[in-house]
Amino acid sequence: MTRRTVLIAGVAGAGWQRAGRQLLAALGPERVRSAVCGWLALAGEPRSLPVASYYGSGTAEFEVDPFNVRALQGVAALLALAPAHPDSAAALGRLVEAALLRIPGVGPRSHKTASAAVHALVQLGDEDAYGELERLAGTVKYRPTVNLITRALAARTV
């Protein structure tokens, strides 16, 4: 499953989506949703083992490595392929917040992961997903992500 979850450049292309749908069919959408929501809940937690910071600022307690960033983007996109569910929207909303946690002297942990989670919420497209986007519109401060959320909410009302 790991190889299928990693996106190239954070975008779920047609081939990736086809493979994701096959994975959902093979494992079952409820099983995938349960596993992915559990993994995404860990995204805001500090690392379990101390490692040196990529930015040279001591330990990387809240930094994410590039492989994990791409995997998080992939499982967010995979979750968006599953049938909409309130747990999916909540997990993606928490991922947006976790990805935008600020690392002192660096900035957000992974704004691209936050963007991938917002795109996944839009792709879910149900009331829970748009409710989560509305909640995030009031809490997120990172301007590019705010703009993405605002555009998604505006497109829904058109």
Side-chain angles (χ1 to χ4, degrees):
M1 184 167 162
T2 303
R3 193 171 62 113
R4 297 245 194 251
T5 61
V6 177
L7 297 180
I8 304 301
V11 177
W16 189 96
Q17 287 190 8
R18 189 171 35 259
R21 285 190 180 92
Q22 290 172 351
L23 185 62
L24 280 172
L27 297 175
E30 187 57 43
R31 183 176 173 198
V32 170
R33 181 190 301 91
S34 176
V36 169
C37 287
W39 296 334
L40 293 182
L42 299 174
E45 298 296 318
R47 290 177 176 267
S48 57
L49 298 172
V51 296
S53 172
Y54 176 78
Y55 302 101
S57 60
T59 60
E61 186 176 15
F62 285 100
E63 291 175 25
V64 291
D65 64 69
F67 180 79
N68 286 343
V69 165
R70 292 177 62 198
L72 284 170
Q73 293 167 3
V75 294
L78 184 64
L79 191 57
L81 294 176
H85 191 277
D87 292 346
S88 300
L92 290 167
R94 285 190 303 270
L95 179 59
V96 170
E97 293 171 326
L100 293 177
L101 284 175
R102 295 190 62 76
I103 299 171
V106 175
R109 294 171 80 194
S110 176
H111 64 90
K112 290 180 181 179
T113 300
S115 294
V118 169
H119 286 296
L121 282 165
V122 171
Q123 190 173 348
L124 279 175
D126 69 335
E127 288 301 317
D128 293 316
Y130 279 101
E132 193 64 32
L133 286 169
E134 289 171 1
R135 183 188 72 78
L136 289 168
T139 61
V140 169
K141 303 293 185 233
Y142 185 68
R143 180 58 48 199
T145 306
V146 169
N147 292 341
L148 190 61
I149 293 168
T150 303
R151 283 194 309 269
L153 290 171
R156 180 182 186 218
T157 58
V158 171

